[in-house]
Amino acid sequence: MAYDATFGNSDYFKLSDYRFLLANLPLADLTCLEAEDLIENVNLARNALDRMPWGASIPPDLYDHFILPHRVSQEPFVKWRRLFLDELAPRVEGLSMPEAILEVNHWCHEKATYRPTDGRDQDPLTTIRSGYGRCEEEMILTICALRAVAIPARQCYTPYWAHSDDNHAWVEAWADGQWYYLGACEPAQSLNSAWFSSPAQRAILIISTAYGDYTGDEPVLRRYGRSTAINSTSVYGPVKQLQVVLLDRKGRTLPGAKAVFSLWNYGTLMPATALTSDANGHLTLISGIGDWFVAVQVNERMAFAHVEGSTESLTLRLTAKEPDDWSGGFCYQPPPAASAPSADIISAEGEARGIISPEVRERADSLFRTRLTREDSLRETCLWPLRPNFGDDPGSVYLKPDSARFWSDPAFASVDDTLRDVLLQRLLDARGNWLAIYDFLNGKGREGADPAPSFDPLRWEVVKRLTPKDLLDWPGEPYEVTTTLDLASDDGHLKSHLASLDSAARERFLDFVLPVRIDDEPASGRRERSQLASFLRKE
């Protein structure tokens, strides 16, 4: 079923929805989102709410904060609602809300599984194209999928574990008046059951996030203006209230000062949260039963303390320009161990972290194991005959790249065998995005491209410098390779310009001018000559 997403569709138009989204829109989205994108997002969210049998039971504030938002975290915005709704609605319409949450997670597992990636969040469609993502990327996909069928869902994470290195992010979903947790893209036989259930019980801080200024009855850790951090630690395990009083060096209360709470992780102190003292110099943190390291600094004065286990009160006084010498060491006590993993848990990430053993997997229900195995097979089978960009030419099938296809392409006839092996491996690493890389390499899809394209070494220099995640989400064409020369050469001929450079200058150009990104920002795929280049060329 297709859904009308036009501005004038009065059935789904809600002025309050637009006001809410715009009032809390991240600054980055204000600069790049089109009005039509938000209009479509609102109309499809309202459509799902009206269509799903549980839609009438969703409280308005939960709809605003946990269904309506157009994205979850720091991933690039993409249009996911229509695609996910079309696939998921037929699978969940006859189910209860808890059953629907479990079924959506099975769908997500058919699309992606756990694999470590770099720290730049990929969007949910890229996660599907690649067939994998790290925990936060699996979480983004699952939250979007749940929201697509009008189930409130939100990000939940611990900044760092208190008993081991690393951290984790997962999903909280609301059903029938209650929040539940689940491992993203990691189906279980029931809610509140995941490989991280035991670690979460001994976590010292767990945070759930809400789009906008959330005023629910849950304890708020802090507000950012456009989002709210909810302190969910007490949901998962025993907690304490740590009362902290901040004093200046003369013993007077210190209002408006920031105290930083750190955990011992990766062999050093890692900041987990920061709170600001009230008018009386007081602040309170609800946390798990474990050790904190608390520091406060005002101008050049600072104070530092190691807060042990069940300690519930602390006074920090600014007394020195340098922290006290604790180089003699300290005894750090992690929270006590919790229960063992449930026997029905099968988890790629839990196994990778050594928490879920083969014995635990074997104890899981055989029919459940069989379903998960089928989903693993389905994911890889469907990955390669995938449309590279959802919605483009749905009748086309793009099979897994192979050497026969690659070697027979006239565009690569001049490339030696060794380089062709490397090129082919780059295409395989690009997973479902391989065709975008392939077309860029041989010039297909480029405006004004030669009908008989040939291998361009300069384009290989671009592809060679793509990171593993770039291969998964880089759009390829249009990428104006020649624009870089327009800024560096009067004649506009890039190859002749490069030929005139010595080897060191050429490498500087290839390493610092040609790459598609600078840092962790998504690569847009276009260098806009009509804007930036023309501006820089002005006299």
Side-chain angles (χ1 to χ4, degrees), residues 91-161:
R91 291 179 63 156
V92 303
E93 281 182 315
L95 304 177
S96 67
M97 285 191 78
E99 290 171 339
I101 294 170
L102 295 173
E103 184 63 27
V104 168
N105 209 17
H106 277 289
W107 180 87
C108 292
H109 183 241
E110 293 171 10
K111 306 299 182 183
T113 189
Y114 172 76
R115 186 185 298 182
T117 65
D118 66 33
R120 174 167 61 87
D121 289 344
Q122 63 194 22
D123 66 75
L125 300 187
T126 295
T127 299
I128 292 176
R129 275 198 301 271
S130 59
Y132 65 80
R134 73 181 195 284
C135 61
E136 183 159 347
E137 292 160 340
E138 292 181 295
M139 173 207 72
I140 290 168
L141 169 60
T142 306
I143 290 175
C144 289
L146 290 165
R147 290 177 176 178
V149 291
I151 295 175
R154 65 191 185 190
Q155 176 185 28
C156 190
Y157 66 97
T158 180
Y160 298 100
W161 294 121

Side-chain angles (χ1 to χ4, degrees), residues 52 91 97 122 154 164 219 221 227 325 329 343-344 363-364 369 372 429 438 466 473 476 494 508 527:
M52 293 298 113
R91 291 179 63 156
M97 285 191 78
Q122 63 194 22
R154 65 191 185 190
S164 67
L221 182 65
S227 63
D325 182 14
D344 67 350
R363 288 200 302 270
R369 288 203 316 267
L372 296 192
D429 291 342
Y438 180 82
L466 295 178
D473 66 4
L494 183 55
R508 284 196 299 272
R527 297 189 178 189

Side-chain angles (χ1 to χ4, degrees), residues 195-507:
W195 70 263
F196 56 85
S197 293
S198 298
Q201 290 175 40
R202 60 193 304 202
I204 196 168
L205 184 63
I206 293 177
I207 302 171
S208 306
T209 62
Y211 182 93
D213 187 8
Y214 181 57
T215 57
D217 58 2
E218 299 169 278
V220 170
L221 182 65
R222 57 186 180 276
R223 302 183 189 275
Y224 295 92
R226 291 183 173 85
S227 63
T228 305
I230 301 163
N231 192 331
S232 297
T233 315
S234 62
V235 175
Y236 293 87
V239 296
K240 66 180 180 181
Q241 278 202 347
L242 177 59
Q243 308 279 347
V244 181
V245 180
L246 303 183
L247 305 175
D248 67 12
R249 62 191 183 92
K250 294 183 178 180
R252 298 170 298 193
T253 57
L254 194 61
K258 184 171 71 173
V260 178
F261 294 78
S262 299
L263 294 172
W264 188 257
N265 209 281
Y266 290 116
T268 189
L269 297 182
M270 303 293 285
T273 191
L275 299 178
T276 301
S277 60
D278 62 18
N280 298 315
H282 292 200
L283 56 89
T284 302
L285 175 64
I286 300 173
S287 80
I289 311 298
D291 290 14
W292 280 111
F293 300 89
V294 187
V296 60
Q297 181 172 358
V298 178
N299 298 322
E300 294 183 353
R301 300 284 178 177
M302 67 178 303
F304 175 86
H306 171 208
V307 184
E308 297 182 353
S310 58
T311 300
E312 295 184 350
S313 63
L314 170 70
T315 299
L316 274 178
R317 181 171 179 173
L318 302 178
T319 59
K321 292 186 178 181
E322 298 291 339
D324 294 337
D325 182 14
W326 49 282
S327 58
F330 56 87
C331 180
Y332 174 74
Q333 184 66 39
S339 59
S342 172
D344 67 350
I345 299 301
I346 299 176
S347 161
E349 183 167 4
E351 291 180 19
R353 294 177 183 270
I355 292 176
I356 304 301
S357 66
E359 291 75 22
V360 171
R361 171 187 279 268
E362 286 304 313
R363 288 200 302 270
D365 178 81
S366 60
L367 290 178
F368 183 66
R369 288 203 316 267
T370 299
R371 180 175 184 182
L372 296 192
T373 300
R374 178 183 175 277
E375 290 168 358
D376 287 331
S377 175
L378 184 64
R379 182 189 320 115
E380 287 301 307
T381 302
C382 294
L383 176 66
W384 298 110
L386 187 69
R387 287 167 282 166
N389 296 297
F390 285 83
D392 292 350
D393 192 10
S396 298
V397 173
Y398 301 97
L399 300 175
K400 183 176 181 178
D402 57 68
S403 56
R405 176 198 305 250
F406 196 43
W407 263 244
S408 63
D409 193 324
F412 300 97
S414 62
V415 178
D416 66 71
D417 291 348
T418 302
L419 180 54
R420 276 193 285 191
D421 287 336
V422 177
L423 290 173
L424 181 59
Q425 187 57 52
R426 293 250 88 184
L427 298 181
L428 291 170
D429 291 342
R431 307 280 280 173
N433 196 46
W434 75 270
L435 194 66
I437 308 298
Y438 180 82
D439 284 350
F440 173 77
L441 277 171
N442 63 22
K444 293 179 182 177
R446 178 164 46 97
E447 184 177 352
D450 189 327
S454 60
F455 177 72
D456 184 346
L458 186 60
R459 288 174 174 264
W460 165 239
E461 294 294 342
V462 174
V463 172
K464 185 167 67 173
R465 286 163 174 77
L466 295 178
T467 67
K469 184 162 285 183
D470 287 335
L471 291 172
L472 301 175
D473 66 4
W474 187 54
E477 295 291 0
Y479 178 73
E480 301 297 341
V481 179
T482 57
T483 301
T484 54
L485 177 63
D486 293 333
L487 302 178
S489 171
D490 290 333
D491 59 18
H493 296 295
L494 183 55
K495 292 180 181 178
S496 61
H497 174 69
L498 287 176
S500 68
L501 300 176
D502 60 44
S503 59
R506 184 177 186 277
E507 288 303 311

Side-chain angles (χ1 to χ4, degrees), residues 39-61:
I39 292 169
E40 178 178 351
N41 179 80
V42 168
N43 285 332
L44 290 170
R46 281 285 165 184
N47 188 292
L49 194 70
D50 292 340
R51 178 176 178 179
M52 293 298 113
W54 49 78
S57 70
I58 306 296
D61 62 331

